[in-house]
């Protein structure tokens, strides 16, 4: 993926403040951080969405996140973290190389929980939830 900046960072063709390296995954500081210590965890291979990553990469990605979170919290003295993926352009993804955001949070920082990312909320009753759950289940088969 010639023009992808995260591929270029992974190949050391562009600079980054790298904080983690493993066989399939790297992590570096977000250049335009939402908070001190805002870190991006990135598969070395180019995949646009999480569901396109091979299972071994998805496992390595989550393993890296789990290892990085306490290190980041300690480094910037954070009280908590939000962890999330903008998975597709409708969800706000700007760089089409899948990545996980780790955003440190601090008591009284004025930020919001992850529930704040969605748009208009649907009004669903129990039957609606049942039908949606069933549809998801069908697609897993
Ligand atoms: P997303 O909307 O999830 O695709 O977010 C992309 C993130 O990448 C943004 O938070 C940017 O600040 C960050 N970003 C863009 N270019 C770079 C770069 N060269 N190094 C580090 N982070 C970057
Ligand atoms: Zn890429």
């Amino acid at each position: 993926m010639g023009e992808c900046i995260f591929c270029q960072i992974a190949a050391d063709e562009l600079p980054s403040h790298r904080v983690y390296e493993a066989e399939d995954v790297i992590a570096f500081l977000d250049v335009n951080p939402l908070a001190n210590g805002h870190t991006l965890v990135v598969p070395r291979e180019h995949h646009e969405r999480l569901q396109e990553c091979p299972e071994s990469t998805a496992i390595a990605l989550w393993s890296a996140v789990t290892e990085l979170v306490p290190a980041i919290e300690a480094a910037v003295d954070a009280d908590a973290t939000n962890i999330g993926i903008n998975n597709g352009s409708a969800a706000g993804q700007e760089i089409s190389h899948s990545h996980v955001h780790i955003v440190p949070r601090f008591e009284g920082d004025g930020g919001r929980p992850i529930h704040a990312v969605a748009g208009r909320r649907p009004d669903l009753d129990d039957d609606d939830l049942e039908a949606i759950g069933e549809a998801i289940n069908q697609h897993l088969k």
Side-chain angles (χ1 to χ4, degrees):
M1 289 287 159
E3 294 307 303
C4 171
I5 59 174
F6 285 2
C7 282
Q8 290 175 274
I9 288 172
D12 280 328
E13 292 165 8
L14 278 180
S16 70
H17 296 279
R18 204 176 275 211
V19 299
Y20 177 95
E21 299 209 48
E23 198 178 336
D24 297 331
V25 174
I26 60 170
F28 48 87
L29 298 181
D30 194 303
V31 80
N32 190 17
L34 296 172
N36 282 353
H38 181 175
T39 298
L40 303 176
V41 191
V42 183
R44 288 182 189 272
E45 249 182 45
H46 186 97
H47 300 283
E48 183 162 352
R49 295 204 186 193
L50 180 67
Q51 58 266 47
E52 290 153 12
C53 293
E55 188 181 3
S56 59
T57 303
I59 291 168
L61 199 59
W62 198 247
S63 169
V65 169
T66 306
E67 193 175 341
L68 279 159
V69 161
I72 295 166
E73 288 186 0
V76 299
D77 204 18
D79 298 304
T81 33
N82 287 118
I83 299 157
I85 301 176
N86 295 325
N87 197 38
S89 60
Q93 183 174 4
E94 289 181 354
I95 302 231
S96 64
H97 182 136
S98 188
H99 53 279
V100 180
H101 291 259
I102 301 175
V103 182
R105 296 295 305 275
F106 304 86
E107 291 294 346
D109 65 11
R112 306 276 305 279
I114 212 152
H115 294 72
V117 299
R120 285 181 302 280
R121 280 196 166 196
D123 184 16
L124 302 177
D125 64 21
D126 208 46
D127 288 344
D128 298 323
L129 294 175
E130 179 71 24
I132 293 167
E134 181 61 29
I136 293 170
N137 202 259
Q138 290 297 322
H139 282 280
L140 284 172
K141 286 173 183 161

